[in-house]
Amino acid sequence: MKAELLNAGFEDLATAGQVVDTMENAEGTMLVVVNSVCGCAAGAARPGVLAALQRSEVKPDKLVTVFAGVDQEATAKMREYLLPYPPSSPSIGIFKDGELVHFIERHHIEGRSAQMIAQHLEMAFEEFCDEAKA
């Protein structure tokens, strides 16, 4: 479950210190996936994220993930950066220069297909990651 994102180029933030270092030095756009062992992570979130990254011409500069339920301190620290949204896993955030600009909560993932998640993310990449529009 973790390897699925790591094999696609995501950096695994397994400690709170790694999260702080990454977030405090964030430049450009960054996609953050709060990964999970639940069915909606396996069936929609991860496949949707991977499909969006494969298909979109516009992509975030950096890809990172924390794994809820596994790397608890790292996940708790990342959730501080995802405020004001309540804890949610899986969830997906887009940051621009360290500021959260888009967030997909679990309730926006549950009951949706990977294709729907991918389309949502492709539109978000266009809006927030396209330097020509910035």
Side-chain angles (χ1 to χ4, degrees):
M1 290 175 256
K2 191 182 264 202
E4 191 172 2
L5 293 177
L6 300 182
N7 291 339
F10 278 78
E11 179 183 348
D12 181 27
L13 304 179
T15 69
Q18 288 174 317
V19 171
V20 170
D21 288 345
T22 297
M23 299 308 292
E24 297 300 318
N25 296 301
E27 291 182 1
T29 54
M30 179 169 44
L31 181 66
V32 175
V33 175
V34 179
N35 201 352
S36 172
V37 297
C38 73
C40 61
R46 289 190 305 268
V49 166
L50 297 176
L53 289 169
Q54 258 185 340
R55 295 192 314 227
S56 184
E57 291 181 26
V58 180
K59 297 175 178 56
D61 300 316
K62 187 172 180 84
L63 309 171
V64 301
T65 184
V66 294
F67 204 109
V70 176
D71 301 317
Q72 295 177 2
E73 290 180 10
T75 303
K77 182 53 76 175
M78 181 58 76
R79 286 180 171 152
E80 292 176 21
Y81 292 96
L82 297 170
L83 290 171
Y85 295 97
S88 177
S89 55
S91 59
I92 304 161
I94 298 175
F95 287 81
K96 190 164 192 165
D97 296 326
E99 179 184 342
L100 182 64
V101 294
H102 191 74
F103 191 65
I104 304 172
E105 297 177 82
R106 177 188 175 103
H107 70 88
H108 291 127
I109 296 170
E110 287 178 307
R112 289 175 177 79
S113 68
Q115 176 70 17
M116 292 170 75
I117 302 299
Q119 288 172 337
H120 180 138
L121 283 170
E122 288 175 75
M123 290 187 293
F125 293 168
E126 283 286 327
E127 182 176 351
F128 299 108
C129 303
D130 188 351
E131 288 302 316
K133 293 182 181 180

